[in-house]
Amino acid sequence: MPLLSLSPVPKIDILLPAKERFSPENAGAISGVVRDLVQASQAAKHYRILGSMVPRPLMPDSFKGLLPKKRWLRGNNIGLATAYLDLIQTTGAPDLVEVHNRCKVACYLVKKKPELKVSLYLHNDPRQMENGSGVEERRYLLRKMACIICVSDYIRRCFLDGLDDCGDLISKVGVARNGARR
């Protein structure tokens, strides 16, 4: 269902990993995918992309740079998530927060703000990620996330490894393949 057909049109925040640089000079693969997805959407103005501050963002009207809060204590990713939680205290929570490639950040957000609707967008094998490596950790994510988006069938299988007993919850895990120009 197209976002524009919903009333009101949902507001979606996309939270990038702290090491991603959403700029023309230093954009990583995740930044490129996010830019392409938002630009291709008819509801592009309803997305807000959040990540580490950069001098020249790829999409200046859609991007908000954040400084990780107490990164020396929490690390860059949780520091960025903490700064994000502070931001939504003043701007209001979106209808959905899409966390890219950081199981730990997705867990942190739902623990700190349980009413927040969070999805996890996986670009890599979650079994190699903090808060995603164990079966119980992925089971927790499956229960708590609004949905889990994987960039391939392989990544979906990685996430579901050992979760055969989760029944209908497995339907929350989908695949959205990345497009690429050749």
Side-chain angles (χ1 to χ4, degrees), residues 22-154:
F22 199 70
S23 68
E25 299 82 16
N26 298 306
I30 293 172
S31 291
V33 167
V34 167
R35 180 204 56 218
D36 292 350
L37 290 173
V38 172
Q39 283 181 339
S41 173
Q42 292 179 345
K45 69 180 181 179
H46 297 277
Y47 286 91
R48 180 169 64 172
I49 303 162
L50 302 112
S52 296
M53 290 188 145
V54 293
R56 262 181 0 110
L58 285 168
M59 299 172 68
D61 295 336
S62 300
F63 181 77
K64 171 84 175 141
L66 301 172
L67 285 173
K69 193 170 182 181
K70 295 185 181 175
R71 68 179 186 213
W72 49 268
L73 176 64
R74 299 178 171 120
N76 283 325
N77 285 300
I78 297 301
L80 198 64
T82 303
Y84 173 71
L85 290 174
D86 286 352
L87 176 72
I88 64 173
Q89 287 289 92
T90 58
T91 64
D95 298 294
L96 180 69
V97 180
E98 189 176 281
V99 174
H100 278 255
N101 222 40
R102 294 295 182 267
C103 299
K104 182 178 182 176
V105 169
C107 288
Y108 179 80
L109 291 176
V110 297
K111 286 178 181 169
K112 289 292 185 182
K113 197 163 177 70
E115 69 278 11
L116 198 59
K117 196 171 187 179
V118 178
S119 68
L120 177 60
Y121 201 116
L122 292 169
H123 299 260
N124 299 101
D125 184 347
R127 298 171 302 181
Q128 306 300 315
M129 295 179 194
E130 197 168 344
N131 289 92
S133 59
V135 171
E136 287 307 315
E137 291 170 321
R138 293 193 308 281
R139 188 173 278 123
Y140 176 84
L141 287 164
L142 190 55
R143 282 194 320 271
K144 296 295 183 176
M145 296 296 110
C147 67
I148 298 162
I149 305 159
C150 305
V151 299
S152 68
D153 292 319
Y154 170 76

